[in-house]
Amino acid sequence: MQASPTPKVGSTIVAEPAPIAIDWASTALLIIDMQRDFLEPGGFGETLGNDVSQLARAVAPIGAVLKAARALGLLVIHTREGHLPDLSDAPPAKVARGAPSLRIGDPGPMGRILIRGEPGHDIVAALAPEDDEIVIDKPGKGAFYATELGDVLQKYGVENLLVCGVTTEVCVNTTVREANDRGYRCIVIGDGCASYFPEFHQAGLAMIKAQGGIFGWVTDSAAILAAMSAANADA
Ligand code: TIU
C-alpha cells in the first residue's frame, strides 16, 4: 500500500517525560481531523463559537513531518470526524448539544456541517492525503470508536503512533487514551497539535506526559524530523 518500504531501523526520539526508542517498521503517523470543518471559517468549529484561526499553527509542523514520513515510507493514516448524510451515525445527544449557530447536518458555506462528502469534511489542501494513504472516517472523538483503525494497525503490525492534529484536548486526547488502553505507544507531536483554547492545548499535552507518561510521550516536530532524517541516512 505504501509507496516505498519502511526502513528496518530504529531511532530514539527526544521526548518527555523521557526519550523513546522506536522501530520505524512498526510505527505509523496518525493525523487527526485536519479538516476544513475545524480549521476554516464557516465550518463546525466556528459554529460552536470558536476562533478557528487558533488551529492554523499546526499545519506547517504537520506538513513537514508528513513530507518526511512519506520520504521514509512510513505508514500514514489520516482521520476525519463526520457523519453520514442521513445522520444515522450521529447521536441525538451530539446533534442537539449546545447552542451552535448551525447544527450538524445544517447547510453552511462549505456544505452541510460535519457531513461526509461535503467540502467542509475534506482535509485542508496543504495536508491532503495521497492515494496510497489510509483515511479513517470516524463518527466520534476517538479514532478507534466505530472505525476500522484497530484492524488497520494490526494488519500493518503497528505498535507506535506518532500522533498530531486537532484539537489537542478533544479528538487528539481521546484517541491517545483509546490507543494507550489498546497497548500502543503514542508519541504526540506538540506543535503539530492545536486547540481553540491555548490553555487547553498546554494542559492536554501536560496530562499525556505526566506521571511518567501516563498516556504517552510528548515531543515536537523538530525532534521527529531529526530522528527521521537520521533513519533515512541509515537506510
Ligand atoms: N470542538 C473541538 O474542539 N473538537 C471537535 O469537536 N473535534 C475534534 O477535536 N476533532
Side-chain angles (χ1 to χ4, degrees):
M1 174 160 281
Q2 294 291 298
S4 45
T6 303
K8 298 279 187 288
V9 294
S11 294
T12 297
I13 296 174
V14 177
E16 292 180 316
I20 172 168
I22 58 157
D23 175 357
W24 292 106
S26 56
T27 300
L29 175 63
L30 181 61
I31 306 176
I32 305 290
D33 299 358
M34 291 299 287
Q35 294 160 260
R36 300 182 66 197
D37 251 320
F38 295 106
L39 281 101
E40 295 186 14
F44 180 61
E46 192 176 75
T47 69
L48 299 176
N50 295 308
D51 170 10
V52 295
S53 71
Q54 289 288 342
L55 304 192
R57 68 191 69 183
V59 174
I62 296 175
V65 170
L66 179 57
K67 186 174 172 204
R70 285 170 175 162
L72 198 58
L74 208 64
L75 183 71
V76 175
I77 303 173
H78 306 255
T79 71
R80 299 183 296 202
E81 180 179 348
H83 296 284
L84 297 168
D86 67 359
L87 296 183
S88 56
D89 62 351
K94 180 178 181 182
V95 178
R97 188 86 44 92
S101 56
L102 293 171
R103 291 196 187 275
I104 295 168
D106 286 349
M110 292 191 287
R112 294 178 67 201
I113 299 292
L114 213 61
I115 297 297
R116 293 183 192 171
E118 300 287 344
H121 187 257
D122 285 346
I123 291 170
V124 295
L127 304 175
E130 291 189 342
D131 287 346
D132 63 350
E133 291 169 355
I134 294 165
V135 179
I136 303 278
D137 283 321
K138 64 190 190 58
K141 305 307 184 199
F144 288 84
Y145 170 68
T147 74
E148 66 279 27
L149 178 59
D151 290 340
V152 169
L153 296 179
Q154 201 167 12
K155 173 179 170 184
Y156 286 96
V158 172
E159 298 173 5
N160 314 304
L161 295 168
L162 308 178
V163 187
C164 55
V166 297
T167 62
T168 316
E169 80 280 15
V170 181
C171 290
V172 173
N173 247 272
T174 305
T175 298
V176 166
R177 289 164 188 235
E178 286 183 326
N180 179 63
D181 277 350
R182 286 164 173 78
Y184 296 97
R185 297 179 200 90
C186 291
I187 301 141
V188 179
I189 306 168
D191 58 338
C193 299
S195 168
Y196 301 118
F197 307 92
E199 67 275 26
F200 290 172
H201 171 77
Q202 292 303 335
L205 296 178
M207 60 179 75
I208 287 167
K209 68 185 179 186
Q211 304 183 59
I214 194 77
F215 295 122
W217 289 256
V218 176
T219 186
D220 60 19
S221 58
I224 296 286
L225 292 172
M228 285 181 172
S229 148
N232 245 337
D234 290 348

PDB file of all heavy atoms in Angstrom, residues 148-166:
ATOM      1  N   GLU A 148     -12.465   1.201  11.615  1.00  0.00           N
ATOM      2  CA  GLU A 148     -11.603   0.064  11.308  1.00  0.00           C
ATOM      3  C   GLU A 148     -10.147   0.308  11.727  1.00  0.00           C
ATOM      4  O   GLU A 148      -9.260  -0.471  11.385  1.00  0.00           O
ATOM      5  CB  GLU A 148     -11.674  -0.260   9.802  1.00  0.00           C
ATOM      6  CG  GLU A 148     -11.106   0.796   8.865  1.00  0.00           C
ATOM      7  CD  GLU A 148     -12.037   1.966   8.553  1.00  0.00           C
ATOM      8  OE1 GLU A 148     -12.928   2.303   9.375  1.00  0.00           O
ATOM      9  OE2 GLU A 148     -11.855   2.581   7.496  1.00  0.00           O
ATOM     10  N   LEU A 149      -9.879   1.370  12.482  1.00  0.00           N
ATOM     11  CA  LEU A 149      -8.486   1.726  12.788  1.00  0.00           C
ATOM     12  C   LEU A 149      -7.732   0.575  13.468  1.00  0.00           C
ATOM     13  O   LEU A 149      -6.587   0.285  13.107  1.00  0.00           O
ATOM     14  CB  LEU A 149      -8.426   2.991  13.661  1.00  0.00           C
ATOM     15  CG  LEU A 149      -7.018   3.433  14.072  1.00  0.00           C
ATOM     16  CD1 LEU A 149      -6.131   3.714  12.854  1.00  0.00           C
ATOM     17  CD2 LEU A 149      -7.085   4.673  14.977  1.00  0.00           C
ATOM     18  N   GLY A 150      -8.355  -0.058  14.455  1.00  0.00           N
ATOM     19  CA  GLY A 150      -7.670  -1.148  15.153  1.00  0.00           C
ATOM     20  C   GLY A 150      -7.260  -2.264  14.208  1.00  0.00           C
ATOM     21  O   GLY A 150      -6.139  -2.781  14.277  1.00  0.00           O
ATOM     22  N   ASP A 151      -8.148  -2.623  13.288  1.00  0.00           N
ATOM     23  CA  ASP A 151      -7.841  -3.677  12.312  1.00  0.00           C
ATOM     24  C   ASP A 151      -6.696  -3.257  11.403  1.00  0.00           C
ATOM     25  O   ASP A 151      -5.823  -4.060  11.060  1.00  0.00           O
ATOM     26  CB  ASP A 151      -9.075  -3.981  11.446  1.00  0.00           C
ATOM     27  CG  ASP A 151     -10.178  -4.670  12.236  1.00  0.00           C
ATOM     28  OD1 ASP A 151      -9.870  -5.243  13.304  1.00  0.00           O
ATOM     29  OD2 ASP A 151     -11.331  -4.631  11.787  1.00  0.00           O
ATOM     30  N   VAL A 152      -6.701  -1.995  10.996  1.00  0.00           N
ATOM     31  CA  VAL A 152      -5.643  -1.488  10.102  1.00  0.00           C
ATOM     32  C   VAL A 152      -4.289  -1.550  10.810  1.00  0.00           C
ATOM     33  O   VAL A 152      -3.288  -2.019  10.241  1.00  0.00           O
ATOM     34  CB  VAL A 152      -5.967  -0.042   9.659  1.00  0.00           C
ATOM     35  CG1 VAL A 152      -4.761   0.594   8.969  1.00  0.00           C
ATOM     36  CG2 VAL A 152      -7.184  -0.026   8.743  1.00  0.00           C
ATOM     37  N   LEU A 153      -4.250  -1.121  12.050  1.00  0.00           N
ATOM     38  CA  LEU A 153      -2.979  -1.107  12.787  1.00  0.00           C
ATOM     39  C   LEU A 153      -2.469  -2.532  12.987  1.00  0.00           C
ATOM     40  O   LEU A 153      -1.262  -2.794  12.883  1.00  0.00           O
ATOM     41  CB  LEU A 153      -3.156  -0.397  14.133  1.00  0.00           C
ATOM     42  CG  LEU A 153      -3.528   1.083  14.041  1.00  0.00           C
ATOM     43  CD1 LEU A 153      -3.696   1.667  15.446  1.00  0.00           C
ATOM     44  CD2 LEU A 153      -2.505   1.888  13.251  1.00  0.00           C
ATOM     45  N   GLN A 154      -3.391  -3.446  13.263  1.00  0.00           N
ATOM     46  CA  GLN A 154      -2.998  -4.844  13.437  1.00  0.00           C
ATOM     47  C   GLN A 154      -2.457  -5.407  12.126  1.00  0.00           C
ATOM     48  O   GLN A 154      -1.427  -6.081  12.101  1.00  0.00           O
ATOM     49  CB  GLN A 154      -4.210  -5.646  13.908  1.00  0.00           C
ATOM     50  CG  GLN A 154      -3.823  -6.923  14.592  1.00  0.00           C
ATOM     51  CD  GLN A 154      -5.000  -7.555  15.332  1.00  0.00           C
ATOM     52  OE1 GLN A 154      -6.159  -7.159  15.160  1.00  0.00           O
ATOM     53  NE2 GLN A 154      -4.706  -8.550  16.139  1.00  0.00           N
ATOM     54  N   LYS A 155      -3.144  -5.107  11.044  1.00  0.00           N
ATOM     55  CA  LYS A 155      -2.722  -5.628   9.735  1.00  0.00           C
ATOM     56  C   LYS A 155      -1.306  -5.180   9.390  1.00  0.00           C
ATOM     57  O   LYS A 155      -0.517  -5.948   8.842  1.00  0.00           O
ATOM     58  CB  LYS A 155      -3.705  -5.136   8.663  1.00  0.00           C
ATOM     59  CG  LYS A 155      -3.271  -5.465   7.250  1.00  0.00           C
ATOM     60  CD  LYS A 155      -4.261  -4.983   6.205  1.00  0.00           C
ATOM     61  CE  LYS A 155      -3.632  -5.122   4.819  1.00  0.00           C
ATOM     62  NZ  LYS A 155      -4.492  -4.593   3.765  1.00  0.00           N
ATOM     63  N   TYR A 156      -0.969  -3.953   9.710  1.00  0.00           N
ATOM     64  CA  TYR A 156       0.356  -3.420   9.367  1.00  0.00           C
ATOM     65  C   TYR A 156       1.380  -3.616  10.486  1.00  0.00           C
ATOM     66  O   TYR A 156       2.510  -3.153  10.358  1.00  0.00           O
ATOM     67  CB  TYR A 156       0.254  -1.941   8.985  1.00  0.00           C
ATOM     68  CG  TYR A 156      -0.367  -1.748   7.613  1.00  0.00           C
ATOM     69  CD1 TYR A 156      -1.721  -1.483   7.466  1.00  0.00           C
ATOM     70  CD2 TYR A 156       0.410  -1.889   6.459  1.00  0.00           C
ATOM     71  CE1 TYR A 156      -2.295  -1.339   6.216  1.00  0.00           C
ATOM     72  CE2 TYR A 156      -0.156  -1.749   5.204  1.00  0.00           C
ATOM     73  CZ  TYR A 156      -1.511  -1.475   5.088  1.00  0.00           C
ATOM     74  OH  TYR A 156      -2.075  -1.351   3.839  1.00  0.00           O
ATOM     75  N   GLY A 157       0.998  -4.272  11.562  1.00  0.00           N
ATOM     76  CA  GLY A 157       1.954  -4.539  12.634  1.00  0.00           C
ATOM     77  C   GLY A 157       2.415  -3.301  13.366  1.00  0.00           C
ATOM     78  O   GLY A 157       3.553  -3.215  13.836  1.00  0.00           O
ATOM     79  N   VAL A 158       1.510  -2.344  13.481  1.00  0.00           N
ATOM     80  CA  VAL A 158       1.880  -1.081  14.134  1.00  0.00           C
ATOM     81  C   VAL A 158       1.852  -1.234  15.652  1.00  0.00           C
ATOM     82  O   VAL A 158       0.919  -1.824  16.212  1.00  0.00           O
ATOM     83  CB  VAL A 158       0.912   0.046  13.693  1.00  0.00           C
ATOM     84  CG1 VAL A 158       1.154   1.319  14.498  1.00  0.00           C
ATOM     85  CG2 VAL A 158       1.074   0.312  12.205  1.00  0.00           C
ATOM     86  N   GLU A 159       2.902  -0.709  16.309  1.00  0.00           N
ATOM     87  CA  GLU A 159       2.965  -0.695  17.777  1.00  0.00           C
ATOM     88  C   GLU A 159       3.098   0.718  18.328  1.00  0.00           C
ATOM     89  O   GLU A 159       2.824   0.968  19.495  1.00  0.00           O
ATOM     90  CB  GLU A 159       4.167  -1.524  18.250  1.00  0.00           C
ATOM     91  CG  GLU A 159       4.083  -2.994  17.864  1.00  0.00           C
ATOM     92  CD  GLU A 159       5.365  -3.749  18.203  1.00  0.00           C
ATOM     93  OE1 GLU A 159       6.273  -3.151  18.831  1.00  0.00           O
ATOM     94  OE2 GLU A 159       5.467  -4.924  17.828  1.00  0.00           O
ATOM     95  N   ASN A 160       3.602   1.636  17.466  1.00  0.00           N
ATOM     96  CA  ASN A 160       3.873   3.009  17.903  1.00  0.00           C
ATOM     97  C   ASN A 160       3.133   3.985  16.998  1.00  0.00           C
ATOM     98  O   ASN A 160       3.119   3.810  15.774  1.00  0.00           O
ATOM     99  CB  ASN A 160       5.372   3.324  17.794  1.00  0.00           C
ATOM    100  CG  ASN A 160       6.227   2.211  18.351  1.00  0.00           C
ATOM    101  OD1 ASN A 160       6.069   1.829  19.504  1.00  0.00           O
ATOM    102  ND2 ASN A 160       7.106   1.664  17.523  1.00  0.00           N
ATOM    103  N   LEU A 161       2.549   5.009  17.591  1.00  0.00           N
ATOM    104  CA  LEU A 161       1.817   6.010  16.819  1.00  0.00           C
ATOM    105  C   LEU A 161       2.417   7.389  17.063  1.00  0.00           C
ATOM    106  O   LEU A 161       2.527   7.829  18.221  1.00  0.00           O
ATOM    107  CB  LEU A 161       0.340   6.019  17.237  1.00  0.00           C
ATOM    108  CG  LEU A 161      -0.441   4.745  16.931  1.00  0.00           C
ATOM    109  CD1 LEU A 161      -1.795   4.770  17.655  1.00  0.00           C
ATOM    110  CD2 LEU A 161      -0.646   4.593  15.424  1.00  0.00           C
ATOM    111  N   LEU A 162       2.803   8.050  15.973  1.00  0.00           N
ATOM    112  CA  LEU A 162       3.168   9.469  16.048  1.00  0.00           C
ATOM    113  C   LEU A 162       1.870  10.229  15.813  1.00  0.00           C
ATOM    114  O   LEU A 162       1.289  10.131  14.729  1.00  0.00           O
ATOM    115  CB  LEU A 162       4.193   9.822  14.969  1.00  0.00           C
ATOM    116  CG  LEU A 162       5.446   8.943  14.902  1.00  0.00           C
ATOM    117  CD1 LEU A 162       6.343   9.399  13.745  1.00  0.00           C
ATOM    118  CD2 LEU A 162       6.198   9.001  16.225  1.00  0.00           C
ATOM    119  N   VAL A 163       1.392  10.930  16.827  1.00  0.00           N
ATOM    120  CA  VAL A 163       0.040  11.496  16.772  1.00  0.00           C
ATOM    121  C   VAL A 163       0.099  13.022  16.711  1.00  0.00           C
ATOM    122  O   VAL A 163       0.836  13.666  17.475  1.00  0.00           O
ATOM    123  CB  VAL A 163      -0.786  11.072  18.001  1.00  0.00           C
ATOM    124  CG1 VAL A 163      -2.242  11.512  17.846  1.00  0.00           C
ATOM    125  CG2 VAL A 163      -0.717   9.568  18.219  1.00  0.00           C
ATOM    126  N   CYS A 164      -0.693  13.587  15.806  1.00  0.00           N
ATOM    127  CA  CYS A 164      -0.814  15.040  15.718  1.00  0.00           C
ATOM    128  C   CYS A 164      -2.210  15.358  15.206  1.00  0.00           C
ATOM    129  O   CYS A 164      -2.977  14.459  14.863  1.00  0.00           O
ATOM    130  CB  CYS A 164       0.269  15.618  14.796  1.00  0.00           C
ATOM    131  SG  CYS A 164       0.276  14.892  13.150  1.00  0.00           S
ATOM    132  N   GLY A 165      -2.563  16.652  15.156  1.00  0.00           N
ATOM    133  CA  GLY A 165      -3.863  17.054  14.636  1.00  0.00           C
ATOM    134  C   GLY A 165      -4.635  17.927  15.605  1.00  0.00           C
ATOM    135  O   GLY A 165      -4.070  18.525  16.526  1.00  0.00           O
ATOM    136  N   VAL A 166      -5.941  17.977  15.385  1.00  0.00           N
ATOM    137  CA  VAL A 166      -6.791  18.859  16.202  1.00  0.00           C
ATOM    138  C   VAL A 166      -8.026  18.114  16.688  1.00  0.00           C
ATOM    139  O   VAL A 166      -8.486  17.181  16.047  1.00  0.00           O
ATOM    140  CB  VAL A 166      -7.228  20.102  15.394  1.00  0.00           C
ATOM    141  CG1 VAL A 166      -6.005  20.923  15.023  1.00  0.00           C
ATOM    142  CG2 VAL A 166      -8.035  19.755  14.149  1.00  0.00           C
TER     143      VAL A 166
END
